[in-house]
Short mmCIF file of all heavy atoms in Angstrom, two decimals:
data_model
loop_
_atom_site.label_atom_id
_atom_site.label_comp_id
_atom_site.label_asym_id
_atom_site.label_seq_id
_atom_site.Cartn_x
_atom_site.Cartn_y
_atom_site.Cartn_z
N ARG P 297 -1.52 23.06 9.40
CA ARG P 297 -2.22 23.30 8.22
C ARG P 297 -2.92 24.72 8.29
O ARG P 297 -2.90 25.40 7.31
CB ARG P 297 -3.35 22.41 7.92
CG ARG P 297 -2.79 20.99 7.44
CD ARG P 297 -3.91 19.95 7.49
NE ARG P 297 -3.39 18.52 7.13
CZ ARG P 297 -3.34 18.06 6.00
NH1 ARG P 297 -3.76 18.76 4.94
NH2 ARG P 297 -2.75 16.92 5.75
N GLY P 360 -10.11 25.23 -2.47
CA GLY P 360 -8.76 24.63 -2.27
C GLY P 360 -7.90 25.52 -1.18
O GLY P 360 -6.82 25.61 -1.26
N HIS P 403 3.68 13.58 -9.42
CA HIS P 403 2.90 13.19 -8.37
C HIS P 403 2.29 14.55 -7.66
O HIS P 403 3.00 15.50 -7.59
CB HIS P 403 3.76 12.54 -7.36
CG HIS P 403 4.20 11.16 -7.81
ND1 HIS P 403 5.11 10.38 -7.05
CD2 HIS P 403 4.13 10.46 -8.89
CE1 HIS P 403 5.47 9.36 -7.74
NE2 HIS P 403 4.78 9.37 -8.83
N PRO P 404 1.16 14.35 -7.04
CA PRO P 404 0.63 15.52 -6.31
C PRO P 404 1.60 15.84 -5.09
O PRO P 404 2.36 15.00 -4.64
CB PRO P 404 -0.68 14.94 -5.77
CG PRO P 404 -0.97 13.64 -6.39
CD PRO P 404 0.30 13.09 -6.96
N PHE P 405 1.46 17.10 -4.68
CA PHE P 405 2.36 17.51 -3.56
C PHE P 405 1.38 18.50 -2.66
O PHE P 405 0.81 19.29 -3.24
CB PHE P 405 3.57 18.32 -4.03
CG PHE P 405 4.51 18.78 -3.06
CD1 PHE P 405 5.13 17.86 -2.20
CD2 PHE P 405 4.70 20.13 -2.67
CE1 PHE P 405 6.01 18.25 -1.21
CE2 PHE P 405 5.42 20.60 -1.70
CZ PHE P 405 6.22 19.67 -0.91
N PRO P 406 1.21 18.21 -1.41
CA PRO P 406 0.24 18.95 -0.63
C PRO P 406 0.64 20.40 -0.51
O PRO P 406 1.95 20.71 -0.41
CB PRO P 406 0.27 18.12 0.76
CG PRO P 406 1.64 17.63 0.79
CD PRO P 406 2.01 17.26 -0.59
N GLY P 407 -0.34 21.30 -0.33
CA GLY P 407 -0.02 22.71 -0.14
C GLY P 407 0.82 22.97 1.07
O GLY P 407 1.83 23.73 0.95
N PRO P 408 0.62 22.29 2.24
CA PRO P 408 1.39 22.45 3.46
C PRO P 408 2.83 21.88 3.31
O PRO P 408 3.77 22.01 4.23
CB PRO P 408 0.63 21.91 4.56
CG PRO P 408 -0.73 21.71 4.00
CD PRO P 408 -0.58 21.33 2.62
N GLY P 409 3.10 21.21 2.14
CA GLY P 409 4.47 20.77 1.80
C GLY P 409 5.10 19.85 2.83
O GLY P 409 4.44 19.11 3.43
N ILE P 412 3.97 19.00 6.73
CA ILE P 412 3.22 17.85 7.15
C ILE P 412 3.85 16.52 6.91
O ILE P 412 3.29 15.36 7.07
CB ILE P 412 1.66 17.89 6.58
CG1 ILE P 412 1.69 17.90 4.95
CG2 ILE P 412 0.94 19.06 7.16
CD1 ILE P 412 0.40 17.46 4.47
N ARG P 413 5.12 16.59 6.49
CA ARG P 413 5.95 15.41 6.35
C ARG P 413 7.11 15.41 7.33
O ARG P 413 7.99 14.51 7.27
CB ARG P 413 6.50 15.33 4.88
CG ARG P 413 5.33 15.09 3.88
CD ARG P 413 5.76 15.14 2.46
NE ARG P 413 4.71 14.81 1.62
CZ ARG P 413 4.68 14.81 0.35
NH1 ARG P 413 5.88 14.98 -0.22
NH2 ARG P 413 3.60 14.50 -0.37
N GLY P 447 1.53 6.29 -7.65
CA GLY P 447 0.73 7.34 -7.62
C GLY P 447 1.19 8.55 -6.91
O GLY P 447 1.11 9.75 -7.38
N GLN P 448 1.94 8.26 -5.90
CA GLN P 448 2.48 9.35 -5.06
C GLN P 448 3.72 8.66 -4.19
O GLN P 448 3.40 7.66 -3.66
CB GLN P 448 1.43 10.07 -4.22
CG GLN P 448 1.95 11.30 -3.51
CD GLN P 448 0.79 12.10 -2.90
OE1 GLN P 448 -0.37 11.65 -2.97
NE2 GLN P 448 1.20 13.25 -2.32
N PHE P 450 6.96 9.75 -1.40
CA PHE P 450 7.79 10.80 -0.73
C PHE P 450 8.53 10.25 0.50
O PHE P 450 8.25 9.16 0.88
CB PHE P 450 6.84 11.98 -0.28
CG PHE P 450 5.81 11.60 0.71
CD1 PHE P 450 5.98 11.53 2.02
CD2 PHE P 450 4.52 11.21 0.17
CE1 PHE P 450 4.93 11.20 2.92
CE2 PHE P 450 3.50 10.69 1.02
CZ PHE P 450 3.66 10.81 2.30
N ARG P 475 7.25 6.52 1.92
CA ARG P 475 5.92 6.16 1.54
C ARG P 475 5.74 6.26 0.10
O ARG P 475 6.16 7.24 -0.51
CB ARG P 475 4.95 7.26 2.30
CG ARG P 475 3.45 6.98 2.01
CD ARG P 475 2.90 6.48 3.24
NE ARG P 475 1.37 6.37 3.30
CZ ARG P 475 0.70 5.22 3.22
NH1 ARG P 475 1.31 4.03 3.14
NH2 ARG P 475 -0.61 5.29 3.22
N THR P 479 -2.45 4.23 -6.59
CA THR P 479 -3.85 4.64 -6.40
C THR P 479 -4.31 5.27 -7.64
O THR P 479 -3.68 5.69 -8.48
CB THR P 479 -3.99 5.77 -5.26
OG1 THR P 479 -5.28 6.28 -5.23
CG2 THR P 479 -2.93 6.94 -5.57
N ASP P 481 -7.50 7.27 -7.52
CA ASP P 481 -8.29 8.40 -7.14
C ASP P 481 -7.85 8.99 -5.86
O ASP P 481 -8.34 9.90 -5.42
CB ASP P 481 -9.74 8.11 -7.11
CG ASP P 481 -9.96 6.99 -6.12
OD1 ASP P 481 -9.04 6.48 -5.34
OD2 ASP P 481 -11.16 6.37 -6.05
N PHE P 482 -6.80 8.53 -5.29
CA PHE P 482 -6.20 9.10 -4.03
C PHE P 482 -7.16 8.96 -2.78
O PHE P 482 -6.96 9.55 -1.68
CB PHE P 482 -5.72 10.53 -4.20
CG PHE P 482 -4.57 10.58 -5.18
CD1 PHE P 482 -4.91 10.76 -6.54
CD2 PHE P 482 -3.28 10.41 -4.83
CE1 PHE P 482 -3.88 10.87 -7.49
CE2 PHE P 482 -2.19 10.44 -5.69
CZ PHE P 482 -2.48 10.70 -7.08
N MET P 483 -8.33 8.35 -3.05
CA MET P 483 -9.32 8.08 -1.99
C MET P 483 -8.99 6.81 -1.29
O MET P 483 -9.14 6.65 -0.12
CB MET P 483 -10.66 7.95 -2.49
CG MET P 483 -11.23 9.29 -3.36
SD MET P 483 -11.40 10.79 -2.31
CE MET P 483 -12.88 10.26 -1.46
N ALA P 485 -5.75 3.63 -1.45
CA ALA P 485 -4.41 3.45 -1.93
C ALA P 485 -3.79 2.28 -1.27
O ALA P 485 -4.24 1.85 -0.23
CB ALA P 485 -3.46 4.69 -1.54
N LYS P 519 -4.56 2.75 2.46
CA LYS P 519 -5.57 3.81 2.78
C LYS P 519 -6.88 3.34 2.35
O LYS P 519 -6.99 2.98 1.12
CB LYS P 519 -5.20 5.14 2.07
CG LYS P 519 -6.25 6.25 2.18
CD LYS P 519 -6.07 7.52 1.51
CE LYS P 519 -7.29 8.45 1.72
NZ LYS P 519 -7.02 9.76 1.10
N GLY P 522 -4.87 3.97 6.74
CA GLY P 522 -3.91 5.07 6.78
C GLY P 522 -4.39 6.16 5.89
O GLY P 522 -5.48 6.01 5.21
N THR P 523 -3.80 7.37 5.86
CA THR P 523 -3.96 8.34 4.86
C THR P 523 -2.69 8.32 4.06
O THR P 523 -1.74 7.61 4.36
CB THR P 523 -4.34 9.73 5.41
OG1 THR P 523 -3.21 10.05 6.33
CG2 THR P 523 -5.59 9.87 6.13
N ILE P 524 -2.69 8.99 2.91
CA ILE P 524 -1.43 9.00 2.19
C ILE P 524 -0.41 9.85 2.87
O ILE P 524 0.73 9.37 3.07
CB ILE P 524 -1.77 9.58 0.69
CG1 ILE P 524 -2.65 8.48 0.00
CG2 ILE P 524 -0.38 9.63 -0.11
CD1 ILE P 524 -3.14 8.91 -1.45
N GLU P 525 -0.70 11.01 3.23
CA GLU P 525 0.27 11.83 4.05
C GLU P 525 0.23 11.27 5.42
O GLU P 525 -0.69 10.63 5.78
CB GLU P 525 -0.23 13.36 4.02
CG GLU P 525 -0.31 13.99 2.64
CD GLU P 525 1.08 14.15 2.09
OE1 GLU P 525 2.08 14.09 2.67
OE2 GLU P 525 0.96 14.26 0.75
N LEU P 526 1.45 11.66 6.14
CA LEU P 526 1.42 11.08 7.50
C LEU P 526 0.74 11.88 8.60
O LEU P 526 0.55 11.60 9.68
CB LEU P 526 3.00 10.88 7.90
CG LEU P 526 3.50 9.64 7.17
CD1 LEU P 526 4.88 9.86 6.77
CD2 LEU P 526 3.30 8.45 8.05
N GLU P 527 0.59 13.22 8.12
CA GLU P 527 -0.16 14.10 9.13
C GLU P 527 -1.43 14.71 8.36
O GLU P 527 -1.32 14.87 7.07
CB GLU P 527 0.74 15.27 9.55
CG GLU P 527 1.74 14.84 10.55
CD GLU P 527 2.35 15.93 11.23
OE1 GLU P 527 2.45 17.12 10.74
OE2 GLU P 527 2.90 15.80 12.36
P1 XMP A 601 -4.42 11.97 2.31
O1 XMP A 601 -3.36 12.25 3.26
O2 XMP A 601 -5.67 12.67 2.84
O3 XMP A 601 -4.13 12.68 0.99
O4 XMP A 601 -4.81 10.53 2.08
C1 XMP A 601 -4.87 12.52 -0.29
C2 XMP A 601 -4.22 13.38 -1.23
O5 XMP A 601 -4.37 14.84 -0.86
C3 XMP A 601 -3.12 15.34 -0.79
N1 XMP A 601 -3.23 16.28 0.47
C4 XMP A 601 -3.29 17.68 0.16
N2 XMP A 601 -3.20 18.40 -0.77
N3 XMP A 601 -3.32 20.37 0.53
C5 XMP A 601 -3.28 19.82 -0.76
O6 XMP A 601 -3.10 20.60 -1.53
C6 XMP A 601 -3.50 19.62 1.80
O7 XMP A 601 -3.58 20.11 2.81
C7 XMP A 601 -3.38 18.18 1.58
N4 XMP A 601 -3.38 17.19 2.46
C8 XMP A 601 -3.33 16.05 1.73
C9 XMP A 601 -2.16 14.32 -0.48
O8 XMP A 601 -0.79 14.61 -0.84
C10 XMP A 601 -2.62 13.22 -1.37
O9 XMP A 601 -2.33 13.37 -2.75
#
Side-chain angles (χ1 to χ4, degrees):
R297 282 170 188 271
H403 293 174
F405 183 65
I412 55 166
R413 293 176 177 179
Q448 192 169 359
F450 59 89
R475 181 104 168 110
T479 176
D481 54 9
F482 298 89
M483 303 291 287
K519 173 182 179 176
T523 54
I524 294 174
E525 300 294 341
L526 285 145
E527 284 197 338

